[in-house]
Amino acid sequence: MVELRTLAYFVTSCRATSFARAADELDIAVSTLSTTLKALGEELGVTLFRRSNNTLYPTEAARTLMRAAEPLLVAETFARRHVAASGETRLRHLVVDVHLTFTIGGVSKALRLAIDRMAVERPDTFVDPQWKDERDFPHVTTIADDWSGLDRSQVTIALSDAAQRKTRHEIVVLSDPWVFALRLPASTRKAPGAAELLSGRIVVPMLAAPLVEQADRYFSRHKITGVRFLNDHPGDLPRTLDDYADAALFVPRSLMSPRLGLSNVVLVNLEHGLTMELVARSAEPNPMTNLFVRHLKRALAAERPGRPERPVVSLRQIHYFNLIHRVRRVSAAARGANISQPALSEQLHKLEKSVGGALFERKGDGVVPTTKGDRFARFATMIEAGSRRLSASDHSATLAQGRRIVVGILPSVNQHGFLVNRIADAAVEIRARYPALKLVFQEAPNGTLQDWVIRGLVGVAVVETALPHMPRLPLGSSEGLAAIAHRSHRLLPGGPVRLADLIQLKLALPTNRFGLRQLLENAAVERDLKIQPVMEIDALPMAVSLLARLPVCTVLPASAVAREIESGDLVAHPIIEPTIARRLYVIYSGERTLSEPERGLVNILRRRLSESQAADQDGADQRRCRD
């Protein structure tokens, strides 16, 4: 199980502006923090932080982990205060449904501050925030279904809907101005104004639909054109700032709350103001809901830095407590934990000291929980169960890529190509294995795919040459390249063509960004030949389309245009002297291990390619026998 202190280091680091600042807040060495977070990522099998613009930023897996980890830390803090409270305290449960996207921004930080203030002022009220728009990791601390007799209330936090009339129970907790955001050097004395930014490029991340509509109306009203609406998750703002370094982001200010990865970011106010409103609704307001809404509103306005997480109780102590509470004997619990009884008793004493009182009353035939013990038991069971789910293999796979894996693939001539069909087959099979998995495919040539993998824009990529300095897995697929021409031009006699003869023809080839071109160039250099194409075309469908119009040929694996060859429109001439073969690999970042769905996709693709090659070989053997 992942210890609460480790989760506290992680959450504090995400909310701080740097590891150094987080280590200072936690009062530990930076090396200790870095080692702990690296070990956490390895234990869960995920990449928690990526490097961009000389800084680190939390990945999608980190955001997923933070949403799963923070309720456990909230429960530990509240449990200690609840147990230490004097008198007969009846537990109350306040569910906060948050209909927003989780971004580690200002709203999530304010929620935590409001929860902390509620815990001090109302130690009988357990505040349970649930991010309703984020379903890729199950909520692990909901207690309403398990505890009877709770006094429950509910508050909903959501964007204001201008199309609906406000109810008397709706309170505006944040009037958030829209701003332009861009990264500038720390030594910049004067930031550009809004008018200057509008003369350049403007981009909007993938915000909630009401916000996108609000932004679009603003641009239309002020006749602002050329704005690009992205598919980038708003939690990935550090990466988006670097990917669109020549543009200004158009976002609500609260999204840009200072945190890891958002250093040297300048916010520029609009010439014509625009405000996003965040509201709190309660179907049945009461003193408890009203108090929380007031605390949340103050926290959203304060813009204070988040406090460091400091859990006092360890998961080991919680585990031992749960064992004792279940079997009611310290000796039996020690045997169950496979430790000595004195060692378990020592941990129990430390736990009782942390919560401010005895949790068990010693009897001749065992122990019985005290009032404080019964209070603590509710939360101890919940925290241990949540921690186990966090470390479970199926949820670790969810953490590894959140709801999706991003795959880079080579460009295809058309939808009938050999490679694109094998990848499609693999995608269908992996989706059947992981029904909740979202697959994203992005097409680019070899060099671009390598860059995307290094920068973390894609998780794995299928490439056609062995790229240096990149971890790679061979797909076991090898296919010779061929000169492809249209039959009407009769550029070559039937059969193979020597490389020396091929380069005498008019060639339409992709640029050096493509692995095919690199393979040709390397083969030519080895024979002191020089390739000089008359046209360079990186759009493969266009290159094939030109073959019917001009007396030129291109170079491809014959399987890429198998249908056109079979129909007789195109002719394939295998290249010989030398034979040049395309070998396929999967590359990935050396900073992480592959997630279970990624490994599954690679294995399925390798099998599909080998099955197709075996079938092709059988077909060729049969044709030779007939001939």
Side-chain angles (χ1 to χ4, degrees), residues 240-557:
T240 306
L241 284 166
D242 293 335
D243 287 348
Y244 299 91
D246 61 331
L249 268 67
F250 189 66
V251 291
R253 179 185 288 271
S254 61
L255 281 180
M256 305 305 299
S257 175
R259 61 172 175 84
L260 199 65
L262 290 181
S263 59
N264 299 338
V265 175
V266 175
L267 305 182
V268 178
N269 294 323
L270 311 182
E271 287 186 333
H272 308 284
L274 180 67
T275 301
M276 175 271 286
E277 288 188 342
L278 196 66
V279 298
R281 304 187 187 101
S282 180
E284 298 180 359
N286 57 49
M288 180 168 59
T289 61
N290 293 338
L291 179 61
F292 176 77
V293 170
R294 286 198 299 272
H295 280 312
L296 178 61
K297 189 172 183 177
R298 291 170 187 163
L300 286 165
E303 296 187 357
R304 295 178 183 174
R307 66 164 183 80
E309 300 284 351
R310 297 189 185 279
V312 176
V313 178
S314 70
L315 275 177
R316 179 172 60 168
Q317 291 169 347
I318 288 174
H319 176 59
Y320 294 161
F321 170 87
N322 286 333
L323 277 173
I324 298 171
H325 190 269
R326 186 163 58 249
V327 302
R328 302 300 167 96
R329 286 186 297 151
V330 176
S331 58
R335 288 194 297 272
N338 198 26
I339 63 171
S340 67
Q341 183 173 331
L344 187 144
S345 297
E346 181 183 0
Q347 290 299 320
L348 178 59
H349 289 316
K350 289 182 179 179
L351 174 60
E352 290 177 328
K353 184 177 180 181
S354 298
V355 300
L359 298 176
F360 295 100
E361 184 180 352
R362 278 69 176 172
K363 302 289 185 178
D365 57 348
V367 296
V368 294
T370 63
T371 300
K372 291 181 182 292
D374 283 334
R375 288 182 188 173
F376 188 73
R378 292 173 167 176
F379 292 93
T381 302
M382 179 177 58
I383 293 171
E384 184 173 16
S387 177
R388 289 188 184 279
R389 292 194 198 104
L390 189 64
S391 301
S393 59
D394 54 343
H395 291 138
S396 293
T398 301
L399 281 172
Q401 289 292 335
R403 292 167 291 184
R404 66 177 189 166
I405 58 176
V406 185
V407 183
I409 61 174
L410 294 164
S412 177
V413 173
N414 54 51
Q415 73 272 24
H416 305 301
F418 169 79
L419 179 58
V420 72
N421 271 277
R422 299 295 80 73
I423 295 175
D425 291 340
V428 170
E429 188 171 338
I430 198 69
R431 281 280 290 124
R433 189 180 301 177
Y434 301 96
L437 182 68
K438 179 181 178 181
L439 284 168
V440 179
F441 290 94
Q442 297 184 347
E443 188 179 78
N446 255 40
T448 303
L449 291 176
Q450 180 183 23
D451 178 61
W452 285 355
V453 169
I454 292 172
R455 295 166 63 195
L457 299 180
V458 300
V460 295
V462 178
V463 297
E464 55 195 353
T465 57
L467 297 171
H469 313 302
M470 291 293 296
R472 62 184 183 270
L473 299 170
L475 289 175
S477 174
S478 177
E479 183 179 6
L481 299 185
I484 309 295
H486 198 273
R487 63 172 182 172
S488 62
H489 298 304
R490 301 183 182 277
L491 297 179
L492 289 166
V497 59
R498 296 188 311 139
L499 180 61
D501 296 330
L502 175 64
I503 65 173
Q504 305 301 319
L505 301 176
K506 294 179 179 179
L507 300 177
L509 301 176
T511 65
N512 277 316
R513 295 195 305 153
F514 278 72
L516 291 177
R517 178 67 179 274
Q518 296 168 20
L519 291 171
L520 277 174
E521 294 283 358
N522 292 339
V525 168
E526 290 178 359
R527 281 164 172 71
D528 293 326
L529 301 173
K530 188 173 183 180
I531 297 176
Q532 293 180 307
V534 297
M535 302 177 73
E536 290 189 316
I537 307 172
D538 281 351
L540 296 185
M542 180 179 174
V544 173
S545 179
L546 283 172
L547 298 182
R549 294 169 171 81
L550 294 173
V552 297
C553 68
T554 190
V555 174
L556 291 169

Side-chain angles (χ1 to χ4, degrees), residues 56-76:
L56 294 173
Y57 71 91
T59 62
E60 181 181 0
R63 296 195 305 272
T64 304
L65 175 61
M66 187 169 177
R67 286 199 315 280
E70 194 161 37
L72 303 180
L73 299 173
V74 169
E76 186 272 345

Side-chain angles (χ1 to χ4, degrees), residues 26 70 88 90 118 175 394 407 543 557:
L26 293 164
E70 194 161 37
E88 292 296 326
R90 182 181 179 183
M118 282 288 292
S175 294
D394 54 343
V407 183

